[in-house]
Amino acid sequence: MSGVLRGLVALLFLINLSLSQEASTGIPPNERRTLGKELPDVLLVDSLGREFNLHTLKGKPIILSPIYTHCNSACPIITDSLKKVVPALGKPGKDFWVLSFTFDPLDGQEDIIAFQEKYGLDGEGWKVVRAKTKEDLFKLVDAIDFRFMSIPETRDFVHPNLVVFISPDMKVKKYVYGVVFDEKEMAKALQYSLGARDLLEDFRSFLFFFGLLGLSLSGLYLVISSARLLQKREESRNLQR
């Protein structure tokens, strides 16, 4: 029965993972390692060539969108979807910041300028940025556990598709996965980054524990029932003798 139980647990885990990482590729972040953790105060450069430290944006939530400028698949869809959803959430620069952050170490100033112009982003409330140094780049992607892999002989990457909501005090609060975003889900994530309680998030670990407990009890019940049935059969055979 232990083998069956392990199989059921693995199946439930895979189903949960597939639902939470819908439309995502690559290795998803380990949220237990990142949620509630403060982002490093890395030095960034925007499309206008202005250098600034990430923590100068404190005081407002941040919608952080990891992209790379030469992407021809997921990143354009993510950016277009954000353009449709963001106006319903508020005004970038006033209510929150949006950062399209390139994780491609080879992206330079001309690349982020071209990306901003291509998608009609204002460069103020919604900034297209790159890290000043590779060290800062990998500090930031490590802080959100954003793992990507380059595809040989191209400038393409395999990466998870997501946006990250950062609280006004620069802590990782919520991941939203996929390439097309739902307005209600994004609004809820924004409120959560501002301090609203999310009961499902608060009790996710408890729900998982109770799920495992339920499976364990079910398995124990089956073992006991099987043992009793075998005992009755054995008693019946002894009586027949």
Side-chain angles (χ1 to χ4, degrees), residues 3 7 10 36 47 62 77 106 117 128 177 183 198 202 213-214 225 239:
S47 57
I62 298 173
I77 301 173
L106 297 180
E117 292 176 349
V128 182
Y177 296 92
E183 182 181 314
D198 186 327
D202 290 342
L213 180 61
S225 297
L239 288 173

Side-chain angles (χ1 to χ4, degrees), residues 97-180:
W97 305 101
V98 183
L99 295 185
S100 291
F101 166 71
T102 177
F103 57 86
D104 183 353
L106 297 180
D107 270 342
Q109 196 62 27
E110 292 183 357
D111 297 307
I112 62 173
I113 290 172
F115 189 90
Q116 177 180 309
E117 292 176 349
K118 179 178 180 179
Y119 293 99
L121 309 176
D122 66 8
E124 297 293 343
W126 187 329
K127 303 176 185 292
V128 182
V129 299
R130 61 184 178 88
K132 176 68 174 178
T133 65
K134 285 186 179 180
E135 181 182 6
D136 278 340
L137 165 63
F138 289 106
K139 279 183 181 179
L140 184 51
V141 296
D142 182 63
I144 60 173
D145 199 33
F146 186 84
R147 287 170 281 180
F148 58 92
M149 180 178 66
S150 61
I151 299 175
E153 300 179 0
T154 72
R155 281 194 64 181
D156 291 317
F157 296 88
V158 175
H159 62 88
N161 300 323
L162 54 83
V163 295
V164 191
F165 282 78
I166 311 300
S167 67
D169 59 353
M170 291 292 148
K171 293 180 180 177
V172 179
K173 294 297 290 184
K174 181 77 173 176
Y175 291 83
V176 178
Y177 296 92
V179 294
V180 177

Side-chain angles (χ1 to χ4, degrees), residues 4-165:
V4 174
L5 180 58
R6 285 197 297 269
L8 287 172
V9 171
L11 178 61
L12 286 175
F13 175 77
L14 288 173
I15 291 172
N16 178 68
L17 185 64
S18 66
L19 290 174
S20 64
Q21 312 299 330
E22 183 180 0
S24 183
T25 60
I27 302 173
N30 179 0
E31 296 188 15
R32 291 187 178 185
R33 189 174 78 82
T34 61
L35 290 178
K37 300 296 178 62
E38 185 179 70
L39 294 183
D41 191 19
V42 296
L43 184 60
L44 302 174
V45 184
D46 69 14
S47 57
L48 299 177
R50 297 173 296 195
E51 298 182 3
F52 65 97
N53 286 91
L54 179 60
H55 284 203
T56 61
L57 302 183
K58 274 186 174 182
K60 296 183 180 70
I62 298 173
I63 302 174
L64 181 65
S65 174
I67 52 92
Y68 65 100
T69 64
H70 291 80
C71 179
N72 292 311
S73 53
C75 302
I77 301 173
I78 288 172
T79 306
D80 282 334
S81 182
L82 282 176
K83 285 187 66 178
K84 294 175 182 176
V85 171
V86 162
L89 305 179
K91 185 179 174 73
K94 177 184 177 183
D95 302 309
F96 50 82
W97 305 101
V98 183
L99 295 185
S100 291
F101 166 71
T102 177
F103 57 86
D104 183 353
L106 297 180
D107 270 342
Q109 196 62 27
E110 292 183 357
D111 297 307
I112 62 173
I113 290 172
F115 189 90
Q116 177 180 309
E117 292 176 349
K118 179 178 180 179
Y119 293 99
L121 309 176
D122 66 8
E124 297 293 343
W126 187 329
K127 303 176 185 292
V128 182
V129 299
R130 61 184 178 88
K132 176 68 174 178
T133 65
K134 285 186 179 180
E135 181 182 6
D136 278 340
L137 165 63
F138 289 106
K139 279 183 181 179
L140 184 51
V141 296
D142 182 63
I144 60 173
D145 199 33
F146 186 84
R147 287 170 281 180
F148 58 92
M149 180 178 66
S150 61
I151 299 175
E153 300 179 0
T154 72
R155 281 194 64 181
D156 291 317
F157 296 88
V158 175
H159 62 88
N161 300 323
L162 54 83
V163 295
V164 191
F165 282 78

Side-chain angles (χ1 to χ4, degrees), residues 189-213:
L190 181 61
Q191 289 303 311
Y192 188 60
S193 72
L194 285 166
R197 301 300 299 270
D198 186 327
L199 293 178
L200 181 60
E201 290 294 331
D202 290 342
F203 292 102
R204 175 179 287 179
S205 59
F206 293 102
L207 289 173
F208 183 70
F209 168 76
F210 286 125
L212 286 179
L213 180 61

